Amino acid sequence: MSTELTHFLAKYREHTNGLLEERLNGLKHYNTDLIEAMRYSLLLGGKRVRPVLVYAAAYATGGISAAADDCACAIEAIHTYSLIHDDLPAMDDDALRRGQPTCHIAYSEATAILAGDALQCQAFEWLANSQHMPASAALQAIAALSKASGASGMVLGQAIDLAAVDKSVDLQHLETMHQHKTGALISASVEMGAIAAGANPTQTAQLRQYASAIGLAFQVQDDILDVTANTATLGKEAGADAERNKPTYVSLLGLDGAKHKASELLQQALASIKDFDERADILRQLATYIVQRDH
Protein backbone atom coordinates (compact mmCIF):
# COMPACT_ATOMS: atom_id res chain seq x y z
CA MET A 1 0.00 0.00 0.00
CA SER A 2 1.37 3.41 -0.95
CA THR A 3 2.19 6.05 1.64
CA GLU A 4 -0.42 8.32 0.06
CA LEU A 5 -3.21 5.74 0.43
CA THR A 6 -2.09 4.77 3.94
CA HIS A 7 -2.31 8.42 4.99
CA PHE A 8 -5.68 8.93 3.28
CA LEU A 9 -7.18 5.80 4.86
CA ALA A 10 -5.91 6.68 8.33
CA LYS A 11 -7.04 10.30 8.07
CA TYR A 12 -10.58 9.60 6.91
CA ARG A 13 -11.11 6.55 9.11
CA GLU A 14 -10.24 8.70 12.12
CA HIS A 15 -12.31 11.58 10.77
CA THR A 16 -15.34 9.34 10.21
CA ASN A 17 -15.00 7.76 13.66
CA GLY A 18 -14.96 11.20 15.26
CA LEU A 19 -18.00 12.36 13.33
CA LEU A 20 -19.99 9.22 14.18
CA GLU A 21 -19.16 9.47 17.87
CA GLU A 22 -20.11 13.15 17.93
CA ARG A 23 -23.43 12.47 16.22
CA LEU A 24 -24.31 9.57 18.48
CA ASN A 25 -23.47 11.68 21.52
CA GLY A 26 -26.13 14.11 20.33
CA LEU A 27 -28.92 11.53 20.53
CA LYS A 28 -31.30 11.73 23.48
CA HIS A 29 -30.80 8.84 25.87
CA TYR A 30 -34.35 7.76 26.56
CA ASN A 31 -33.24 4.13 26.36
CA THR A 32 -29.65 3.44 27.37
CA ASP A 33 -29.53 -0.11 25.99
CA LEU A 34 -30.67 0.99 22.54
CA ILE A 35 -28.20 3.87 22.28
CA GLU A 36 -25.36 1.78 23.70
CA ALA A 37 -26.06 -1.04 21.23
CA MET A 38 -26.00 1.50 18.39
CA ARG A 39 -22.72 2.92 19.69
CA TYR A 40 -21.24 -0.54 20.21
CA SER A 41 -21.79 -1.61 16.61
CA LEU A 42 -21.20 1.71 14.86
CA LEU A 43 -17.99 2.55 16.74
CA LEU A 44 -16.61 -1.00 16.95
CA GLY A 45 -14.07 -0.23 14.25
CA GLY A 46 -13.87 -1.72 10.80
CA LYS A 47 -12.11 -0.65 7.64
CA ARG A 48 -14.56 2.20 6.89
CA VAL A 49 -14.19 1.39 3.20
CA ARG A 50 -17.51 2.99 2.25
CA PRO A 51 -16.93 6.37 3.95
CA VAL A 52 -13.39 6.44 2.52
CA LEU A 53 -14.87 5.85 -0.94
CA VAL A 54 -17.22 8.81 -0.39
CA TYR A 55 -14.26 11.06 0.37
CA ALA A 56 -12.13 9.65 -2.46
CA ALA A 57 -14.90 10.17 -5.03
CA ALA A 58 -15.51 13.69 -3.77
CA TYR A 59 -11.79 14.47 -3.95
CA ALA A 60 -11.61 13.17 -7.53
CA THR A 61 -14.55 15.24 -8.77
CA GLY A 62 -14.52 18.59 -7.03
CA GLY A 63 -13.11 18.45 -3.53
CA ILE A 64 -13.97 17.27 -0.03
CA SER A 65 -16.38 19.38 1.97
CA ALA A 66 -18.75 19.01 4.92
CA ALA A 67 -21.33 17.65 2.48
CA ALA A 68 -19.16 14.56 2.13
CA ASP A 69 -19.24 14.18 5.93
CA ASP A 70 -23.03 13.82 5.89
CA CYS A 71 -22.82 11.21 3.13
CA ALA A 72 -20.00 9.30 4.83
CA CYS A 73 -21.85 9.07 8.13
CA ALA A 74 -25.07 8.01 6.43
CA ILE A 75 -23.47 5.22 4.38
CA GLU A 76 -21.67 3.84 7.44
CA ALA A 77 -24.88 3.85 9.49
CA ILE A 78 -26.65 1.86 6.78
CA HIS A 79 -23.71 -0.53 6.46
CA THR A 80 -23.60 -1.12 10.22
CA TYR A 81 -27.36 -1.72 10.39
CA SER A 82 -26.96 -4.34 7.65
CA LEU A 83 -24.18 -6.09 9.59
CA ILE A 84 -26.19 -6.18 12.81
CA HIS A 85 -29.14 -7.77 11.03
CA ASP A 86 -26.98 -10.07 8.90
CA ASP A 87 -25.39 -11.51 12.06
CA LEU A 88 -28.74 -12.38 13.69
CA PRO A 89 -29.68 -16.03 14.35
CA ALA A 90 -32.40 -15.87 11.69
CA MET A 91 -29.83 -14.75 9.11
CA ASP A 92 -26.15 -15.85 9.24
CA ASP A 93 -26.12 -16.51 13.01
CA ASP A 94 -22.61 -15.11 13.56
CA ALA A 95 -21.03 -14.69 16.98
CA LEU A 96 -18.10 -12.46 15.95
CA ARG A 97 -17.94 -9.13 14.12
CA ARG A 98 -14.77 -7.07 13.85
CA GLY A 99 -13.17 -9.37 16.40
CA GLN A 100 -15.82 -8.72 19.05
CA PRO A 101 -19.12 -10.38 20.02
CA THR A 102 -21.88 -9.48 17.57
CA CYS A 103 -24.55 -7.03 18.72
CA HIS A 104 -27.15 -9.66 19.58
CA ILE A 105 -24.57 -11.56 21.64
CA ALA A 106 -23.32 -8.44 23.46
CA TYR A 107 -26.85 -7.19 24.16
CA SER A 108 -29.92 -9.19 23.12
CA GLU A 109 -31.55 -10.23 19.88
CA ALA A 110 -34.41 -7.75 20.32
CA THR A 111 -32.05 -4.89 21.16
CA ALA A 112 -29.88 -5.72 18.15
CA ILE A 113 -32.89 -5.63 15.81
CA LEU A 114 -33.95 -2.26 17.20
CA ALA A 115 -30.40 -0.87 17.05
CA GLY A 116 -30.22 -1.83 13.37
CA ASP A 117 -33.62 -0.28 12.71
CA ALA A 118 -32.59 2.93 14.44
CA LEU A 119 -29.30 3.21 12.54
CA GLN A 120 -31.13 2.74 9.24
CA CYS A 121 -33.47 5.63 10.05
CA GLN A 122 -30.63 7.73 11.42
CA ALA A 123 -28.79 7.59 8.10
CA PHE A 124 -31.65 9.24 6.24
CA GLU A 125 -32.24 11.77 9.02
CA TRP A 126 -28.62 12.91 8.75
CA LEU A 127 -28.99 13.41 5.00
CA ALA A 128 -32.40 15.08 5.21
CA ASN A 129 -31.15 17.53 7.85
CA SER A 130 -27.88 18.31 6.08
CA GLN A 131 -26.82 21.92 6.39
CA HIS A 132 -24.02 21.43 3.86
CA MET A 133 -25.82 20.39 0.67
CA PRO A 134 -28.48 22.10 -1.41
CA ALA A 135 -31.85 20.42 -0.96
CA SER A 136 -31.63 19.01 -4.48
CA ALA A 137 -28.29 17.35 -3.76
CA ALA A 138 -29.50 15.97 -0.42
CA LEU A 139 -32.51 14.51 -2.22
CA GLN A 140 -30.22 12.87 -4.79
CA ALA A 141 -28.12 11.38 -2.01
CA ILE A 142 -31.21 10.07 -0.21
CA ALA A 143 -32.49 8.54 -3.46
CA ALA A 144 -29.14 6.87 -4.19
CA LEU A 145 -28.81 5.46 -0.68
CA SER A 146 -32.39 4.25 -0.37
CA LYS A 147 -32.26 2.49 -3.74
CA ALA A 148 -28.96 0.83 -2.85
CA SER A 149 -30.23 -0.26 0.57
CA GLY A 150 -33.66 -1.77 -0.12
CA ALA A 151 -35.50 -4.20 -2.35
CA SER A 152 -33.56 -3.00 -5.39
CA GLY A 153 -30.20 -3.29 -3.67
CA MET A 154 -28.66 -4.73 -0.53
CA VAL A 155 -31.79 -6.27 1.02
CA LEU A 156 -32.58 -8.02 -2.27
CA GLY A 157 -29.02 -9.36 -2.33
CA GLN A 158 -29.37 -10.68 1.21
CA ALA A 159 -32.64 -12.41 0.29
CA ILE A 160 -31.01 -14.05 -2.75
CA ASP A 161 -28.09 -15.08 -0.53
CA LEU A 162 -30.31 -16.77 2.05
CA ALA A 163 -32.29 -18.55 -0.65
CA ALA A 164 -29.07 -19.94 -2.18
CA VAL A 165 -27.92 -21.89 0.90
CA ASP A 166 -27.57 -25.62 0.12
CA LYS A 167 -28.44 -24.95 -3.53
CA SER A 168 -26.42 -25.14 -6.71
CA VAL A 169 -26.23 -21.80 -8.52
CA ASP A 170 -24.32 -20.61 -11.56
CA LEU A 171 -21.86 -17.72 -11.83
CA GLN A 172 -24.45 -15.29 -13.20
CA HIS A 173 -26.73 -15.95 -10.23
CA LEU A 174 -23.82 -15.40 -7.83
CA GLU A 175 -22.84 -12.13 -9.50
CA THR A 176 -26.42 -10.86 -9.41
CA MET A 177 -26.57 -11.64 -5.70
CA HIS A 178 -23.33 -9.86 -4.86
CA GLN A 179 -23.95 -6.89 -7.14
CA HIS A 180 -26.89 -6.23 -4.87
CA LYS A 181 -25.73 -7.48 -1.47
CA THR A 182 -22.25 -5.94 -1.43
CA GLY A 183 -21.89 -3.91 -4.61
CA ALA A 184 -24.96 -1.71 -4.19
CA LEU A 185 -23.71 0.10 -1.08
CA ILE A 186 -20.21 0.43 -2.48
CA SER A 187 -21.67 1.97 -5.64
CA ALA A 188 -23.80 4.29 -3.52
CA SER A 189 -20.70 5.40 -1.58
CA VAL A 190 -18.97 6.51 -4.77
CA GLU A 191 -22.11 8.10 -6.20
CA MET A 192 -22.82 10.02 -2.99
CA GLY A 193 -19.26 11.32 -2.93
CA ALA A 194 -19.77 12.58 -6.46
CA ILE A 195 -23.09 14.20 -5.49
CA ALA A 196 -21.46 15.90 -2.49
CA ALA A 197 -18.76 17.37 -4.75
CA GLY A 198 -21.12 18.43 -7.56
CA ALA A 199 -19.69 16.06 -10.18
CA ASN A 200 -20.85 16.40 -13.77
CA PRO A 201 -22.93 13.65 -15.47
CA THR A 202 -19.95 12.21 -17.41
CA GLN A 203 -17.87 11.88 -14.25
CA THR A 204 -20.78 10.30 -12.40
CA ALA A 205 -21.36 7.72 -15.15
CA GLN A 206 -17.68 6.75 -15.19
CA LEU A 207 -17.63 6.49 -11.41
CA ARG A 208 -20.67 4.20 -11.50
CA GLN A 209 -18.75 1.82 -13.78
CA TYR A 210 -15.76 1.99 -11.44
CA ALA A 211 -17.94 1.30 -8.41
CA SER A 212 -19.70 -1.63 -10.06
CA ALA A 213 -16.35 -3.31 -10.70
CA ILE A 214 -14.86 -2.70 -7.25
CA GLY A 215 -18.11 -3.68 -5.53
CA LEU A 216 -17.95 -7.11 -7.11
CA ALA A 217 -14.19 -7.32 -6.57
CA PHE A 218 -14.71 -6.64 -2.87
CA GLN A 219 -16.96 -9.69 -2.57
CA VAL A 220 -14.65 -11.90 -4.64
CA GLN A 221 -11.80 -11.02 -2.28
CA ASP A 222 -14.06 -11.67 0.72
CA ASP A 223 -14.73 -15.17 -0.65
CA ILE A 224 -11.00 -15.72 -1.15
CA LEU A 225 -10.21 -14.58 2.40
CA ASP A 226 -12.91 -16.84 3.82
CA VAL A 227 -10.76 -19.82 2.80
CA THR A 228 -7.24 -18.36 3.04
CA ALA A 229 -7.31 -16.21 6.21
CA ASN A 230 -7.87 -17.13 9.84
CA THR A 231 -10.51 -15.95 12.29
CA ALA A 232 -8.12 -13.68 14.19
CA THR A 233 -7.11 -11.87 11.01
CA LEU A 234 -10.63 -11.56 9.63
CA GLY A 235 -12.31 -10.52 12.89
CA LYS A 236 -15.14 -12.96 12.09
CA GLU A 237 -15.41 -16.71 11.71
CA ALA A 238 -13.17 -17.95 8.88
CA GLY A 239 -14.62 -20.72 6.71
CA ALA A 240 -18.18 -19.76 7.62
CA ASP A 241 -19.43 -19.79 4.02
CA ALA A 242 -18.20 -23.33 3.38
CA GLU A 243 -19.61 -24.50 6.71
CA ARG A 244 -23.05 -23.17 5.76
CA ASN A 245 -22.72 -24.58 2.23
CA LYS A 246 -23.13 -21.13 0.69
CA PRO A 247 -22.08 -20.66 -2.94
CA THR A 248 -18.99 -18.47 -3.38
CA TYR A 249 -16.60 -17.47 -6.14
CA VAL A 250 -14.09 -19.95 -4.75
CA SER A 251 -16.60 -22.81 -4.74
CA LEU A 252 -17.60 -22.05 -8.35
CA LEU A 253 -14.26 -20.97 -9.86
CA GLY A 254 -11.68 -22.49 -7.54
CA LEU A 255 -9.17 -20.38 -5.62
CA ASP A 256 -7.01 -19.52 -8.66
CA GLY A 257 -10.10 -18.76 -10.74
CA ALA A 258 -11.44 -16.43 -8.05
CA LYS A 259 -8.10 -14.60 -7.89
CA HIS A 260 -8.15 -14.19 -11.68
CA LYS A 261 -11.70 -12.82 -11.47
CA ALA A 262 -10.63 -10.26 -8.87
CA SER A 263 -7.74 -9.18 -11.10
CA GLU A 264 -10.05 -8.77 -14.10
CA LEU A 265 -12.43 -6.61 -12.06
CA LEU A 266 -9.53 -4.46 -10.90
CA GLN A 267 -8.54 -3.77 -14.50
CA GLN A 268 -12.15 -2.88 -15.35
CA ALA A 269 -12.29 -0.43 -12.45
CA LEU A 270 -9.04 1.27 -13.46
CA ALA A 271 -10.14 1.53 -17.10
CA SER A 272 -13.40 3.21 -16.05
CA ILE A 273 -11.59 6.20 -14.57
CA LYS A 274 -8.69 6.46 -17.01
CA ASP A 275 -9.87 9.93 -18.10
CA PHE A 276 -9.63 11.33 -14.56
CA ASP A 277 -6.56 13.29 -13.52
CA GLU A 278 -4.21 12.62 -10.61
CA ARG A 279 -6.91 13.53 -8.07
CA ALA A 280 -8.39 10.09 -8.82
CA ASP A 281 -5.18 8.32 -7.81
CA ILE A 282 -6.69 7.53 -4.41
CA LEU A 283 -9.60 5.79 -6.16
CA ARG A 284 -7.11 3.84 -8.28
CA GLN A 285 -5.11 2.82 -5.23
CA LEU A 286 -8.29 1.90 -3.33
CA ALA A 287 -9.30 -0.46 -6.14
CA THR A 288 -5.93 -2.21 -5.83
CA TYR A 289 -6.22 -2.31 -2.04
CA ILE A 290 -9.66 -3.93 -2.24
CA VAL A 291 -8.38 -6.90 -4.25
CA GLN A 292 -5.11 -7.25 -2.35
CA ARG A 293 -6.26 -6.78 1.28
CA ASP A 294 -5.67 -9.62 3.72
CA HIS A 295 -8.65 -9.02 6.03
Side-chain angles (χ1 to χ4, degrees):
M1 190 186 302
S2 71
T3 302
E4 182 183 24
L5 181 59
T6 300
H7 175 74
F8 193 92
L9 286 171
K11 177 180 179 179
Y12 285 103
R13 279 173 181 162
E14 183 178 353
H15 182 65
T16 301
N17 289 339
L19 289 171
L20 291 171
E21 183 158 15
E22 179 182 336
R23 291 179 183 218
L24 285 182
N25 287 342
L27 296 180
K28 294 183 179 179
H29 287 234
Y30 293 121
N31 187 300
T32 301
D33 283 350
L34 174 63
I35 300 298
E36 286 307 312
M38 292 167 67
R39 287 180 58 86
Y40 176 81
S41 294
L42 192 59
L43 302 179
L44 196 57
K47 296 179 285 291
R48 305 297 192 208
V49 168
R50 290 153 193 81
V52 168
L53 281 168
V54 170
Y55 290 115
Y59 182 67
T61 56
I64 295 171
S65 68
D69 290 340
D70 294 325
C71 293
C73 289
I75 197 79
E76 191 64 16
I78 288 288
H79 176 54
T80 301
Y81 126 73
S82 77
L83 298 181
I84 294 172
H85 283 196
D86 204 36
D87 289 337
L88 290 168
M91 301 279 279
D92 282 350
D93 195 16
D94 277 319
L96 281 179
R97 173 66 65 180
R98 294 168 175 166
Q100 299 295 323
T102 47
C103 189
H104 69 276
I105 298 292
Y107 292 88
S108 70
E109 190 173 341
T111 300
I113 292 169
L114 293 172
D117 291 343
L119 284 169
Q120 180 189 40
C121 296
Q122 197 65 60
F124 295 107
E125 183 178 337
W126 285 335
L127 289 175
N129 291 339
S130 174
Q131 301 298 307
H132 310 113
M133 285 187 282
S136 59
L139 185 59
Q140 288 177 42
I142 290 169
L145 185 56
S146 57
K147 181 178 180 180
S149 303
S152 297
M154 177 188 64
V155 171
L156 172 61
Q158 289 175 320
I160 297 171
D161 188 16
L162 288 173
V165 175
D166 291 327
K167 293 183 180 177
S168 177
V169 302
D170 61 19
L171 188 60
Q172 183 176 358
H173 185 98
L174 190 67
E175 290 199 358
T176 298
M177 176 176 75
H178 288 310
Q179 282 168 346
H180 291 86
K181 183 179 179 182
T182 304
L185 279 190
I186 286 179
S187 293
S189 303
V190 174
E191 184 170 355
M192 290 166 70
I195 291 168
N200 64 51
T202 299
Q203 291 174 319
T204 302
Q206 291 169 335
L207 285 173
R208 285 195 185 110
Q209 292 177 0
Y210 164 88
S212 177
I214 64 165
L216 202 52
F218 191 95
Q219 185 59 51
V220 175
Q221 186 64 11
D222 258 8
D223 288 354
I224 292 169
L225 292 173
D226 192 60
V227 299
T228 61
N230 57 46
T231 297
T233 301
L234 288 178
K236 59 182 181 180
E237 293 293 340
D241 290 338
E243 188 175 317
R244 297 187 189 103
N245 200 25
K246 293 175 68 172
T248 68
Y249 282 95
V250 175
S251 67
L252 289 182
L253 299 176
L255 185 57
D256 288 342
K259 290 179 178 179
H260 180 69
K261 177 69 174 178
S263 179
E264 282 185 337
L265 289 166
L266 170 60
Q267 295 310 312
Q268 289 175 26
L270 295 177
S272 297
I273 55 172
K274 61 181 176 59
D275 294 335
F276 283 68
D277 62 20
E278 67 279 358
R279 290 177 300 171
D281 283 348
I282 293 295
L283 285 174
R284 296 181 179 102
Q285 293 169 35
L286 274 168
T288 301
Y289 163 74
I290 281 170
V291 301
Q292 293 180 354
R293 63 196 165 89
D294 59 5
H295 65 284

